[in-house]
Amino acid sequence: MPSEKILEQKKQIVADLAEKLKNACAGVIVDYKGINVADDTKLRKELREAGVDYAVVKNTLLSRAADAAGKEGLKTVLEGTTALALSNDDYVAAARILCNFAKDHDNFKVKVGFTDDSILDAASVEELSKLPSREELVAKALGGLNAPITGFVHVLNANLRGLVCALNAIAEKQGA
């Protein structure tokens, strides 16, 4: 029987993990078996730079945290080696980085993912990873809004240029 101190520590870990799951807008659970330390370090650095929280977790603790966070659908894949990547503000970052990493490493597999209250299977996580990032979507939207304004400025410019040319021609004709 575990000591009371260890049980309290585990309860605190589950509570912290449940809180992270609730606050995350998206997350991905992967099977990290078979990657070496250098690749793992490179992956962690890339995830950290993208603002993604990545950690190896025990299946039993994640199962209890998923129950507490209302994400019971995550429990179906909790066997073997499990790592969890959570993002609080970018829906695509974790999926994109982990799916790209999985393409190059045969043993590294995406198990399941989630966005807000939806549970995604591995194929859906792959589709999510192909979406453009938030910055790209904002740039496209702003470009779409900017295009009509730019066109309007060019039309006004052309009209003013035509008026100036006509006035210049009249001035030259009257001067001659």
Side-chain angles (χ1 to χ4, degrees):
M1 184 81 183
S3 70
E4 193 65 33
K5 183 179 176 183
I6 292 173
L7 283 176
E8 286 303 316
Q9 288 174 343
K10 288 184 177 183
K11 285 180 184 176
Q12 185 59 44
I13 291 169
V14 168
D16 292 343
L17 198 51
E19 190 62 31
K20 286 181 180 181
L21 285 170
K22 286 179 189 174
N23 293 336
C25 68
V28 179
I29 295 176
V30 297
D31 180 356
Y32 65 90
K33 182 173 49 178
I35 64 170
N36 60 36
V37 174
D39 288 339
D40 189 48
T41 303
K42 181 181 168 189
L43 174 65
R44 287 175 184 266
K45 181 178 184 273
E46 190 175 350
L47 288 165
R48 192 172 33 254
E49 288 172 352
V52 177
D53 184 25
Y54 179 79
V56 172
V57 292
K58 288 185 122 186
N59 291 328
T60 54
L61 298 178
L62 183 55
S63 175
R64 292 174 193 247
D67 282 338
K71 298 191 184 308
E72 291 83 11
L74 299 177
K75 294 169 46 173
T76 59
V77 297
L78 296 180
E79 56 186 39
T81 56
T82 302
L84 175 66
L86 298 172
S87 178
N88 290 335
D89 54 354
D90 190 349
Y91 285 86
V92 179
R96 184 177 58 250
I97 293 169
L98 293 172
C99 286
N100 286 340
F101 189 81
K103 287 178 189 173
D104 300 331
H105 300 83
D106 294 332
N107 295 335
F108 191 86
K109 304 244 184 303
V110 173
K111 291 182 178 182
V112 71
F114 69 90
T115 57
D116 294 326
D117 294 327
S118 302
I119 304 298
L120 308 172
D121 62 355
S124 298
V125 173
E126 178 72 28
E127 290 299 315
L128 178 66
S129 73
K130 294 176 184 173
L131 291 176
S133 69
R134 182 177 184 272
E135 291 80 19
E136 291 176 55
L137 291 174
V138 168
K140 286 180 182 180
L142 290 177
L145 293 173
N146 194 25
I149 296 169
T150 305
F152 183 66
V153 167
H154 287 298
V155 168
L156 288 179
N157 241 356
N159 287 339
L160 289 175
R161 194 173 328 121
L163 177 63
V164 168
C165 288
L167 291 175
N168 191 27
I170 292 171
E172 285 179 7
K173 186 177 182 181
Q174 286 181 355

